[in-house]
Amino acid sequence: MQIIDGKATADEIKKEIALEVQEIKASGGKIPHLVAILVGNNGASETYVANKVKSCEEVGFHSTLLRFEPTITEDELLLEVRKVNDNDDMDGLIVQLPLPDHINPDKVMEAINYKKDVDGFHPINIGRMAKGLPAYISATPQGILDLLERYNIETSGKHCVVVGRSQIVGLPMSILMQRNTKIGNCTVTLTHSKTKDLSAVCATADILIAALGRPEFITAEYVKEGAVVIDVGLTRIIDTSKKSGFALKGDVKFDEVAPKCSFITPVPKGVGPMTIVSLMKNTLLSAKGIIYAK
Ligand code: NAP
């Protein structure tokens, strides 16, 4: 069994990006600039956004954090999004979810210029990804593809079971794993809360991707001997023994599942750090005008 070290892989990719930024600087090119919008004071969102901004600084990007009160109206937020769309210095825009209940997240995602949608949530990017056209791919699925590639994990002809059909992880992951690409060519089963006999379905997976948000839900009976298990889940559990007051739990019961796997991602330091790095990669692509011409 090999543990897939998402932290080490992410650090490696960050170094590659930082080197490229140095070269861009030296040649007087455009320094990538990521903008993050944060509405309200959700503790988890604060942490995620802070990590994204910190990572930008580490690789030499410019970053801007735009914070708004939870009382901001939908129209006011849409106006702020359009301001970023119109600012040529800003290459990428992410709006941290969840948004307050009175704001429709789909409306906000659609308002983002798809050429700056480095989270890959805009319907145009999702549609282009499904068609196999150049597009920004959602950060978490892109991070998982990179892990599979860097660990030389064979995917062609394998049965991949994805648990969870969210717009940001499960659904794009299922589309990506069936594409006719180097990391792809799987036979994919996409499962969700209405799937019957989920444990039996999962136990047929060569590659099991758990993205359901239920801590330690995937136990040994869900996993075939020798499977590759990717744990996307990230749930905060109160833990008074920790300085922060909470611990992070994945969707997989690591201790009992790991011995059955050929490869497994831990939580933390698995998929999480790769998500941020994918955002950086997309922002760099945007600044360089690679996916969409400037
Ligand atoms: P989500 O929007 O919370 O949706 C959860 C999905 O799981 C839904 O499709 C739901 O089915 C399915 N599901 C829930 N309970 C289930 C059950 N008992 N059996 C089978 N399917 C079940 O999902 P998400 O936003 O993708 O988040 C999933 C997890 O990944 C969360 O823990 C989140 O924090 C984490 N996450 C981590 C990262 C990272 O960087 N590591 C990034 C994004 C998300 P229905 O559609 O039928 O309701």
Side-chain angles (χ1 to χ4, degrees):
M1 184 270 295
Q2 193 175 352
I3 291 182
I4 297 178
D5 190 337
K7 169 82 171 61
T9 310
D11 286 346
E12 201 175 289
I13 299 175
K14 267 195 212 164
K15 273 192 198 133
E16 293 164 13
I17 297 174
L19 208 64
E20 209 172 329
V21 175
Q22 274 175 20
E23 285 164 11
I24 293 172
K25 256 188 198 154
S27 62
K30 166 86 183 67
I31 305 292
H33 184 172
L34 178 70
V35 180
I37 288 183
L38 176 62
V39 180
N41 313 299
N42 176 307
S45 294
E46 298 255 0
T47 310
Y48 295 148
V49 169
N51 284 339
K52 288 168 189 174
V53 171
K54 187 171 142 248
S55 298
C56 280
E57 284 160 9
E58 280 169 12
V59 296
F61 286 4
H62 292 155
S63 67
T64 301
L65 172 57
L66 300 174
R67 301 187 66 125
F68 300 104
E69 293 298 323
T71 49
I72 188 170
T73 66
E74 187 176 272
D75 282 346
E76 285 166 344
L77 185 61
L78 292 173
L79 194 68
E80 296 297 335
V81 166
R82 287 188 200 106
K83 279 190 210 162
V84 178
N85 286 345
D86 294 341
N87 187 330
D88 289 341
D89 180 57
M90 296 173 164
D91 302 299
L93 168 60
I94 56 171
V95 177
Q96 185 66 44
L97 299 175
L99 291 168
D101 288 346
H102 63 279
I103 299 177
N104 179 346
D106 287 332
K107 222 166 157 182
V108 176
M109 292 306 137
E110 281 201 63
I112 297 174
N113 177 352
Y114 68 92
K115 297 182 179 180
K116 296 189 178 187
D117 166 42
V118 288
D119 254 337
F121 294 165
H122 193 286
I124 291 181
N125 279 314
I126 296 171
R128 289 177 62 98
M129 172 197 68
K131 277 181 74 80
L133 295 169
Y136 294 120
I137 292 172
S138 313
T140 302
Q142 177 61 57
I144 294 170
L145 295 184
D146 285 344
L147 285 178
L148 294 171
E149 182 167 14
R150 290 198 179 222
Y151 276 80
N152 292 315
I153 293 170
E154 181 60 70
T155 59
S156 182
K158 305 287 181 183
H159 182 206
C160 174
V161 175
V162 180
V163 188
R165 57 178 158 184
S166 74
Q167 299 281 321
I168 62 169
V169 185
L171 177 68
M173 202 65 238
S174 69
I175 295 170
L176 291 162
M177 293 304 282
Q178 58 74 45
R179 293 199 310 182
N180 185 3
T181 46
K182 187 175 166 220
I183 301 297
N185 282 313
C186 285
T187 303
V188 177
T189 303
L190 180 58
T191 66
H192 44 76
S193 67
K194 308 290 185 296
T195 299
K196 288 211 168 73
D197 214 355
L198 183 65
S199 63
V201 176
C202 290
T204 64
D206 302 306
I207 301 171
L208 178 62
I209 302 177
L212 65 161
R214 302 270 180 270
E216 301 190 324
F217 183 95
I218 303 290
T219 51
E221 65 166 320
Y222 285 71
V223 178
K224 180 165 89 173
E225 207 60 57
V228 175
V229 173
I230 306 290
D231 188 354
V232 183
L234 214 50
T235 306
R236 279 179 167 211
I237 306 282
I238 292 171
D239 183 343
T240 46
S241 71
K242 303 262 183 220
K243 207 173 128 204
S244 60
F246 66 87
L248 286 174
K249 287 270 177 233
D251 285 343
V252 176
K253 202 157 191 225
F254 186 89
D255 291 349
E256 64 175 67
V257 168
K260 294 183 88 174
C261 300
S262 53
F263 292 89
I264 184 167
T265 60
V267 175
K269 299 186 179 176
V271 173
M274 293 299 290
T275 298
I276 296 187
V277 155
S278 304
L279 258 182
M280 311 285 116
K281 279 175 71 175
N282 280 346
T283 306
L284 182 62
L285 291 173
S286 176
K288 290 163 76 180
I290 287 184
I291 304 270
Y292 303 111
K294 283 271 173 190

